[in-house]
Amino acid sequence: FKSATEPFRYNKMSDQNRLQLHEFLDNLYLTLLNDVSDSRKISVDSLRAIAYRYDGQTADGSVKSGLIDGIMYPDEFSDMIKKKVGLKSKDDLEKITLGEYAGAKPIVGDFGSKDKIALVYAEGGIEDGDGKNGTIGGDKYAQMIKKLRMDENVKAIVLRVNSPGGSALASDLIWREIEMAKKAKIPVIVSMGDYAASGGYYIACNADSILAEPNTLTGSIGVFALLPNARKLMNEKLGITFDTVATGPNAIGISPFAATNPDQDRMIQSWIDNTYERFLDHVSKGRKMTRDQVHEIAQGRIWTGDKAVQLGLVDRLGTLDDAIKIAAKMAKVDKYRVSEYPRPKNQIMQIMEELMGKSDEEDDVKSKLIQSTFKEYASMYNFLRDVQKMQGPQARLPFYLEIK
């Protein structure tokens, strides 16, 4: 984590950071317990006891503890569903997977209307340039939002953020275009998904209204940078040494093959501090808070959506559908259609990009192989891939967090 008063060292987690992360996990755990308690009509204390005893590790234990209603074979379950939907036992029961259900997009709005609500999906890490498939390219998204605010048919923008953050520069470019959209009197509503942290919150903080799910990971208002030092590795393991002749102490710049001097340390720290203060300034103006109020809940700390509402980082809990309805209300439109961005590329466009060398096919193939073969490690692979490509100040979660 990075604060304005504490020099950053990417080593072992400090006691303060550990306490902050523990506080976040406690809040998340309590939110999950309350949700299950309301759904299953089991007290929170009883749920804690069930978890400690591992009652849910067996089917019988799950029934006895009230976590599930019963035990069935697949054919019994199908017969029960058929009965509930009015089918006979010999009738076929058409099914879809949970992934297909989640990906189903209902018809939203009036497609005969010229007025549009632009639904922009900001999914993945935030990268400089145009990014690649599954990431948020700063230049690409800034240009996209610019085109939307210049489209007279676009009456509001809903930004669906599902990102752990990334490049501070790319985040700032997207933030600027959101600011310009607001100046053009186009309401901007943010709907947070699983993550909207660091750079994900950076691009969200200036919206007219911010909605989150109860278990959304958000906040993490902080900045850091990584500077690897490979000198010892090269010298002691590979027998390679580096010598330089320079006209001044900073003439060779900052290199992974040479230790930084005190002046360079101060320069880097100043660079990070300035970026952090800019982050604080954006949040304080967007959320109508003082700089010190933001700093108190910033410093890289992460929060659940529930807690973020209490702290003022989020306006309310709600779904993507809620965000679209709020956008329509703010834009004062009754009839509208929802247009999604970025537009999916057709196969011809993908082939053309591959032929012109503009495709990320190799990286996509690697990601798909990891996803298909080692599903549980796919998100960790993507995180490590993004870390490897880090350049400049980063506004991202500086760790890999998996909730089980």
Side-chain angles (χ1 to χ4, degrees):
F1 296 106
K2 171 69 188 70
S3 72
T5 57
E6 174 187 0
F8 181 83
R9 293 291 182 269
Y10 202 75
N11 297 319
K12 184 179 179 181
M13 184 183 293
S14 69
D15 291 340
Q16 179 186 7
N17 296 155
R18 191 176 297 277
L19 286 173
Q20 291 173 352
L21 184 56
H22 197 282
E23 179 183 10
F24 161 75
L25 291 175
D26 281 344
N27 289 330
L28 179 60
Y29 183 45
L30 184 58
T31 300
L32 293 173
L33 285 177
N34 285 329
D35 287 346
V36 176
S37 176
D38 293 339
S39 175
R40 301 304 303 172
K41 303 297 185 293
I42 304 173
S43 70
V44 170
D45 288 340
S46 296
L47 284 173
R48 289 183 186 274
I50 290 170
Y52 294 158
R53 293 194 303 263
Y54 265 43
D55 289 349
Q57 295 301 301
T58 64
D60 287 334
S62 296
V63 173
K64 291 178 181 178
S65 62
L67 294 178
I68 64 175
D69 295 307
I71 304 172
M72 293 181 179
Y73 285 104
D75 62 286
E76 295 175 312
F77 181 76
S78 293
D79 288 340
M80 181 192 71
I81 297 297
K82 289 178 183 179
K83 186 176 181 180
K84 286 183 177 292
V85 299
L87 295 176
K88 297 179 181 179
S89 58
K90 63 180 180 179
D91 292 336
D92 290 332
L93 181 64
E94 296 186 16
K95 307 170 189 172
I96 62 173
T97 66
L98 185 60
E100 291 170 334
Y101 177 78
K105 297 177 181 178
I107 297 175
V108 180
D110 182 355
F111 283 87
S113 174
K114 289 185 178 180
D115 293 338
K116 297 188 295 185
I117 292 179
L119 175 55
V120 179
Y121 289 98
E123 301 263 350
I126 302 175
E127 298 183 351
D128 295 320
D130 289 337
K132 57 182 179 296
N133 293 335
T135 66
I136 306 167
D139 291 345
K140 176 183 176 180
Y141 273 74
Q143 287 297 319
M144 185 193 308
I145 297 171
K146 180 180 179 179
K147 288 181 180 179
L148 292 176
R149 69 173 167 87
M150 297 180 72
D151 185 342
E152 61 181 13
N153 293 325
V154 173
K155 304 303 179 183
I157 297 173
V158 174
L159 186 65
R160 176 67 171 182
V161 181
N162 193 23
S163 170
S167 165
L169 174 60
S171 301
D172 200 49
L173 291 175
I174 298 171
W175 175 93
R176 174 61 181 174
E177 283 304 324
I178 291 174
E179 173 72 3
M180 296 299 290
K182 290 176 59 180
K183 288 183 177 180
K185 307 300 182 183
I186 299 175
V188 180
I189 314 300
V190 164
S191 169
M192 294 180 171
D194 295 337
Y195 296 89
S198 289
Y201 189 76
Y202 198 121
I203 66 176
C205 68
N206 199 32
D208 292 294
S209 184
I210 301 176
L211 285 73
E213 303 284 353
N215 296 333
T216 296
L217 274 65
T218 189
S220 188
I221 302 168
V223 178
F224 73 92
L226 294 179
L227 181 62
N229 188 338
R231 188 174 186 178
K232 187 174 182 179
L233 168 67
M234 302 297 284
N235 291 358
E236 297 183 5
K237 303 299 181 181
L238 302 178
I240 300 174
T241 60
F242 294 84
D243 293 305
T244 59
V245 177
T247 57
N250 298 314
I252 64 170
I254 299 171
S255 168
F257 306 116
T260 56
N261 60 46
D263 287 339
Q264 290 173 331
D265 287 342
R266 284 190 291 269
M267 180 186 67
I268 295 170
Q269 190 64 51
S270 175
W271 188 21
I272 300 302
D273 288 341
N274 289 338
T275 305
Y276 178 68
E277 288 296 330
R278 187 175 184 82
F279 198 167
L280 293 180
D281 181 66
H282 287 337
V283 176
S284 64
K285 290 178 180 177
R287 303 307 301 165
K288 296 179 175 55
M289 302 166 68
T290 67
R291 180 266 182 200
D292 290 343
Q293 285 175 327
V294 177
H295 179 60
E296 180 66 24
I297 56 178
Q299 304 177 58
R301 302 171 74 183
I302 51 177
W303 311 99
T304 60
D306 272 330
K307 190 67 176 180
V309 173
Q310 299 175 25
L311 297 173
L313 295 176
V314 171
D315 292 299
R316 54 168 287 190
L317 299 178
T319 64
L320 177 57
D321 288 339
D322 294 329
I324 293 173
K325 291 176 183 177
I326 291 174
K329 184 177 181 180
M330 284 190 173
K332 298 179 181 178
V333 291
D334 296 322
K335 294 183 179 180
Y336 60 89
R337 55 193 173 97
V338 177
S339 295
E340 298 181 339
Y341 302 88
R343 304 277 192 196
K345 299 176 183 177
N346 57 43
Q347 290 184 340
I348 295 177
M349 182 62 72
Q350 291 178 8
I351 293 172
M352 290 296 293
E353 288 188 353
E354 290 172 14
L355 292 174
M356 297 174 66
K358 294 182 179 180
S359 173
D360 296 302
E361 182 185 15
E362 182 180 351
D363 201 50
D364 289 343
V365 169
K366 289 179 181 178
S367 296
K368 289 176 181 177
L369 285 173
I370 294 290
Q371 181 67 39
S372 61
T373 310
F374 306 103
K375 291 183 179 180
E376 64 272 29
Y377 302 116
S379 57
M380 185 181 298
Y381 164 78
N382 291 332
F383 172 78
L384 293 174
R385 179 195 62 192
D386 292 343
V387 169
Q388 186 181 26
K389 295 182 179 180
M390 285 183 187
Q391 292 183 354
Q394 299 291 310
R396 74 164 75 224
L397 289 175
F399 52 82
Y400 174 76
L401 180 64
E402 183 176 351
I403 306 298
K404 292 185 176 182

